[in-house]
Structure formats: structure tokens, C-alpha cells
Amino acid sequence: KKKLNVEEIISYCENERLSGYAFISCKKKEALICFEKGVLKEINAEMLSGPAAFEEVNSWKTYKYCIFRGKSSDMILNAIKMQM
């Protein structure tokens, strides 16, 4: 299975018309990319947002990611973190 880079993760979510999130983690760093009907609504990483957050995440050499549909909740995010 090919690992997607950050731009490919975003493209995949847009093409799938995702209403949900892509969660990306790199060691203790975390990012959350939010989509609504395939439109990127926001990206947050390490106290950054927008283009600065994208640049931060795009600079990570190794990371794990999970894409999920639906609304986010702390319970869901904590469960994802435990699996990664």
C-alpha cells in the first residue's frame, strides 16, 4: 500500500467529497484537516492554522494518518491517537 503525501491526502479527501477529517501525527506532533463535502475548510497543526499549518505538516518526513467521515469529537480523536 502506497503511503500518501499530504497533498495526496488532501486531493483524496476532495475527490471523495469527504465530510470529515484527516488526522496526521508525527511523533508528538498532530494535525487535523477538516473537510465539508470535499471542500477543505481548515487545517490546524502545532498551534498553527491555514497555510502555515500546511507548511508545517508538509515538512514532516514520517507520519501516520487516518481519514474518517463524520463529525469530530474528543472521544473519536483520542481513540485514533491510541491506535496510531
Side-chain angles (χ1 to χ4, degrees), residues 45-77:
E46 296 303 295
M47 306 296 286
L48 301 169
S49 62
F54 173 79
E55 291 301 323
E56 170 68 23
V57 177
N58 207 34
S59 74
W60 298 348
K61 301 296 182 218
T62 60
Y63 52 86
K64 295 180 181 179
Y65 62 91
C66 181
I67 298 169
F68 59 100
R69 297 184 183 279
K71 297 191 185 244
S72 171
S73 73
D74 289 339
M75 186 175 78
I76 291 170
L77 290 176

Side-chain angles (χ1 to χ4, degrees), residues 3 6 9 22-32 44-46 53 55-66 80-81 84:
K3 183 173 183 173
V6 177
I9 292 169
F23 176 78
I24 304 171
S25 68
C26 171
K27 299 176 185 165
K28 296 198 181 231
K29 300 176 185 177
E30 298 175 347
L32 194 62
N44 297 295
E46 296 303 295
E55 291 301 323
E56 170 68 23
V57 177
N58 207 34
S59 74
W60 298 348
K61 301 296 182 218
T62 60
Y63 52 86
K64 295 180 181 179
Y65 62 91
C66 181
I80 290 168
K81 290 176 191 178
M84 298 181 91

Side-chain angles (χ1 to χ4, degrees), residues 5-58:
N5 65 40
V6 177
E7 290 178 12
E8 291 170 328
I9 292 169
I10 292 171
S11 291
Y12 173 82
C13 294
E14 289 171 338
N15 292 337
E16 291 294 313
R17 299 193 37 82
L18 178 77
S19 287
Y21 301 84
F23 176 78
I24 304 171
S25 68
C26 171
K27 299 176 185 165
K28 296 198 181 231
K29 300 176 185 177
E30 298 175 347
L32 194 62
I33 306 173
C34 309
F35 296 88
E36 187 175 312
K37 296 180 183 173
V39 176
L40 193 153
K41 290 296 185 182
E42 69 180 289
I43 178 170
N44 297 295
E46 296 303 295
M47 306 296 286
L48 301 169
S49 62
F54 173 79
E55 291 301 323
E56 170 68 23
V57 177
N58 207 34

